[in-house]
Amino acid sequence: MEMNENSRRSFLKQIGAASALALTAANAEALPSSAIPPQAQQASPAPGQSSQAATRPARMAWWHQAKFGMFIHWGLYSVIGQHEWAKEVEGIPIPQYELLAKQFNPKPNAAREWARLAKRAGQKYMVMTTKHHEGFCHWDTTLTDYCAPKQGPGRDLVREFVDAARAEGLRVGFYYSLMDWHHPDGAICKTDEAARRRFVDYTHGLIRELMTNYGKIDVLWYDVSWPLTAAGWESERMNQMVFELQPDIIVNNRNGLEGDFATPEQRIQAADAGRAWETCMTLNDSWGFNRFDDAWKTPKTIVGNLATCARGGGNYLLNIGPEPDGSIPKESVTVLEAVGRWLETNGKAIYETERSSLEASVNANYTRRGNTFYIHQQFWPGHTPAAEATGFFKPEAVIAIGGLKPKALAARLLKTGQSIPFTQDEFTFRLTELPLEAPDQPATVIEVECDGEPIIDHEAMRALWPRYRVGVS
């Protein structure tokens, strides 16, 4: 998706600030008001926005249940194999970069491997880069010859992706970069109204093709709105067109509008309650294929991130960067298959879970579904020498949670279905007689049913804790 992480974060801060301002009248930016169409100058919410808000719960119901998706970054930059921002980061002239379009020659139906891996990984939807910042279109567009069917691939790669995802029963999402390094009007459109008109018409035309030619599309994932504001892009009109063509689609917030969901990148940050959100993240440190990037996340990290997103009521969109021929790096396969095996047993603790106020500890994460919560024990306690000095840690092994309310009714290991004995008082909930070795990897999940919504409140417990004397009691 973007450049090296420090530069990327700096760029996003600037874009994020601009996107936030795009929702206010102060966002007139460099375009004079005369250069902005009347429909883009409206101060009050457009009728389309109101209708989108009204249908949002129904449109997003599947997405809230899904929790886990696959992101795919693939393009001409994959041929270089040095990060998806290679053109800009390395300063490659456009005529030189265009030569990659003939060299880009992926094997037929590579997307079938992606979809099958997503299925094995427990991912429920896929989002593919139809056009990244480089401007190369993966579909059969009538608006430019800088596209897959008219260059090296010689065929519609978006069609292959859509067919592959649907064959595995997965929802289909399209990523589309508004920023375009290749189009002659892609930069001057900020200050030249004639260029802006041409470029916006081109952009809307490309999006119309994507929304028209591939049947039902579930997600539209905009990215990087540089150099225009929402007004300049005519984003209201853009989204209105999208919803007219795809009434059930959901769209993100990166065309300068609020959209259906927020998109924190490379970090997990829950939106305010009532606002949908999705963390997108790489498996190593690159979005596109980078043959030298060996900073692979472990299955434990991915499972922990997935639980953290679910705990905050969000989704986790995890990226792969296929090689130029469409093959998936073996490290990506290894990690995702391990996560998928874990979800086969523990999916109940992720899918269809709800936002909760439970806070993770160093050793465990938590998710919730109704009055049931799930302890994701990342570091298994096993034997502690403290058991030799105090009965609190007996019978071993013990997992204890301070400040749990309300009353627990039952507990069991998801891996084995085995019931777990426990004790509970106003201060501590103790699961006892657990195996000394972790029953599952990379995290063991314990399901605890309560007689009300589970809450862990250490601070409330702190003031009630019995205290005795200054010295040893």
Side-chain angles (χ1 to χ4, degrees):
M1 200 149 54
E2 311 301 345
M3 59 177 75
N4 71 66
E5 197 55 34
N6 289 334
S7 300
R8 165 66 182 154
R9 285 174 181 161
S10 175
F11 187 83
L12 273 179
K13 284 179 181 177
Q14 297 172 38
I15 292 297
S19 296
L21 287 172
L23 300 176
T24 72
N27 193 40
E29 212 201 47
L31 287 174
S33 60
S34 60
I36 301 172
Q39 65 266 33
Q41 296 185 46
Q42 54 199 348
S44 57
Q49 274 193 300
S50 298
S51 63
Q52 292 157 26
T55 62
R56 187 169 294 142
R59 288 186 290 109
M60 297 197 70
W62 71 265
W63 185 88
H64 284 296
Q65 294 175 356
K67 299 300 180 190
F68 193 24
M70 175 182 279
F71 218 170
I72 303 104
H73 277 69
W74 191 47
L76 304 187
Y77 46 82
S78 305
V79 178
I80 303 172
Q82 294 178 184
H83 206 281
E84 70 288 343
W85 274 60
K87 188 206 173 301
E88 182 165 292
V89 169
E90 300 183 27
I92 305 170
I94 287 177
Q96 291 292 305
Y97 198 87
E98 285 179 344
L99 298 176
L100 300 175
K102 292 296 184 185
Q103 193 175 351
F104 184 48
N105 189 23
K107 60 187 177 182
N109 294 305
R112 291 180 183 174
E113 294 180 19
W114 312 344
R116 289 166 184 159
L117 176 60
K119 186 81 168 182
R120 295 197 303 275
Q123 294 166 310
K124 304 299 185 182
Y125 59 105
M126 302 174 72
V127 179
M128 173 195 173
T129 51
T130 62
K131 179 179 83 72
H132 201 255
H133 316 326
E134 65 187 7
F136 186 77
C137 300
H138 282 312
W139 72 96
D140 190 9
T141 175
T142 63
L143 300 179
T144 177
D145 62 359
Y146 198 49
C147 64
K150 299 180 180 71
Q151 299 299 324
R155 62 192 193 276
D156 189 327
L157 300 179
V158 171
R159 171 64 62 193
E160 291 186 0
F161 164 71
V162 170
D163 290 347
R166 289 182 180 145
E168 298 301 325
L170 302 174
R171 298 274 186 162
V172 174
F174 288 166
Y175 165 108
Y176 182 91
S177 171
L178 295 169
M179 181 169 71
D180 192 318
W181 295 327
H182 182 268
H183 194 283
D185 295 323
I188 63 170
C189 61
K190 181 174 181 177
T191 54
D192 183 315
E193 169 56 16
R196 187 196 72 85
R197 181 73 273 151
R198 289 191 299 268
F199 188 45
V200 169
D201 287 347
Y202 174 76
T203 298
H204 284 223
L206 291 178
I207 294 171
R208 177 176 288 276
E209 289 180 339
L210 289 170
M211 297 294 102
T212 302
N213 297 338
Y214 300 95
K216 185 177 185 296
I217 305 304
D218 300 292
V219 181
L220 177 57
W221 217 99
Y222 298 115
D223 197 20
V224 186
S225 59
W226 186 92
L228 300 176
T229 65
W233 286 113
E234 301 176 31
S235 294
E236 290 283 6
R237 184 169 69 86
M238 181 189 297
N239 278 5
Q240 184 176 351
M241 172 189 69
V242 168
F243 281 100
E244 286 174 355
L245 296 169
Q246 297 284 343
D248 296 324
I249 201 168
I250 62 176
V251 300
N252 74 348
N253 63 339
R254 294 198 182 188
N255 70 340
L257 301 180
E258 184 181 60
D260 292 312
F261 62 99
T263 54
E265 181 168 329
Q266 297 287 47
R267 71 189 191 283
I268 300 175
Q269 180 178 340
D272 292 340
R275 171 72 165 153
W277 61 278
E278 173 191 72
T279 281
C280 58
M281 194 174 285
T282 52
L283 259 173
N284 51 7
D285 286 338
S286 305
W287 295 98
F289 176 60
N290 188 341
R291 62 174 55 88
F292 304 112
D293 185 348
D294 61 358
W296 298 99
K297 294 177 179 65
T298 64
K300 182 183 283 289
T301 295
I302 300 303
V303 164
N305 288 343
L306 183 56
T308 300
C309 288
R311 173 166 53 86
N315 282 21
Y316 192 37
L317 186 63
L318 187 61
N319 183 74
I320 63 168
E323 298 179 22
D325 71 348
S327 299
I328 307 165
K330 66 180 187 304
E331 295 89 348
S332 296
V333 175
T334 298
V335 172
L336 286 173
E337 286 184 338
V339 173
R341 288 191 296 271
W342 182 85
L343 281 168
E344 286 178 5
T345 298
N346 301 291
K348 189 177 182 181
I350 298 293
Y351 306 122
E352 300 184 43
T353 53
E354 308 164 64
R355 184 172 181 139
S356 78
S357 60
L358 300 168
E359 294 185 8
S361 70
V362 172
N363 293 322
N365 212 334
Y366 306 100
T367 56
R368 178 183 72 88
R369 186 192 301 209
N371 292 342
T372 298
F373 79 105
Y374 300 89
I375 304 169
H376 299 247
Q377 194 71 24
Q378 300 165 106
F379 306 123
W380 194 253
H383 168 70
T384 171
E388 299 166 11
T390 173
F392 184 88
F393 293 105
K394 293 179 180 178
E396 291 188 299
V398 172
I399 291 175
I401 301 173
L404 175 66
K405 305 292 181 185
K407 181 181 179 181
L409 302 176
R412 71 182 185 98
L413 285 166
L414 283 192
K415 178 69 173 178
T416 64
Q418 171 190 348
S419 294
I420 304 171
F422 61 87
T423 63
Q424 183 179 17
D425 58 29
E426 59 183 315
F427 303 111
T428 305
F429 171 71
R430 295 170 61 249
L431 296 153
T432 63
E433 300 181 46
L434 292 162
L436 292 179
E437 298 293 329
D440 202 3
Q441 291 292 346
T444 298
V445 180
I446 299 171
E447 179 184 71
V448 181
E449 180 186 353
C450 299
D451 66 358
E453 180 179 335
I455 296 169
I456 298 173
D457 191 341
H458 300 299
E459 188 171 349
M461 177 185 72
R462 191 181 304 156
L464 301 175
W465 197 264
R467 299 167 190 250
Y468 299 93
R469 52 175 292 177
V470 174
V472 175
S473 52

